[in-house]
Amino acid sequence: GSIVILCLPGRQSTTIVIMVKAVWNDVVIAESEKCERVEGNFYFPFECVKKEYLKDSETTTYCGWKGSCNYYTIEVNGKTNKDAAWVYRDPLPAAANIKGHIGFWKGVQVA
């Protein structure tokens, strides 16, 4: 696959053109060939995420260059992973490339 490097002020962002999957509890939660990679994290287009596994969380955080972040709890086969997915619904201009994308962590395998 090819990799396109996008330059942001003082940060590196990469558009990945290879198949990437997010897996938790042996279930594929998301897969896409059009992920964005920012600060080492893959961000999946929202339409490539199996939303039936995501439950809104009340948790929010703020990043000085990406903006306000909202979280989802992942529920798969009776198991729960609190705040294991996140989204910048209206990111600041420097992070516009991750609008409409979801990231994963907390044991979700992304490869």
Side-chain angles (χ1 to χ4, degrees):
S2 61
I3 297 177
V4 178
I5 304 295
L6 303 174
C7 295
L8 295 176
R11 295 169 183 83
Q12 181 178 343
S13 174
T14 308
T15 300
I16 304 298
V17 190
I18 58 173
M19 182 58 74
V20 182
K21 293 182 181 181
V23 178
W24 188 71
N25 200 18
D26 297 322
V27 173
V28 175
I29 300 167
E31 59 184 321
S32 177
E33 293 181 342
K34 297 178 182 176
C35 291
E36 296 288 330
R37 190 160 189 191
V38 177
E39 297 181 327
N41 296 306
F42 287 97
Y43 287 80
F44 291 79
F46 197 70
E47 64 271 12
C48 297
V49 177
K50 297 179 182 175
K51 291 168 263 321
E52 64 268 24
Y53 298 121
L54 303 181
K55 307 297 178 212
D56 286 324
S57 169
E58 294 182 8
T59 303
T60 60
T61 57
Y62 187 83
C63 171
W65 74 275
K66 289 179 279 193
S68 295
C69 183
N70 298 91
Y71 290 81
Y72 295 99
T73 293
I74 299 172
E75 294 181 4
V76 174
N77 296 329
K79 294 192 178 182
T80 301
N81 193 345
K82 183 170 174 48
D83 299 336
W86 72 91
V87 62
Y88 290 89
R89 291 189 176 115
D90 189 21
L92 296 174
N97 62 311
I98 59 171
K99 184 173 183 145
H101 288 66
I102 295 179
F104 296 95
W105 66 330
K106 291 190 167 185
V108 177
Q109 298 175 329
V110 178

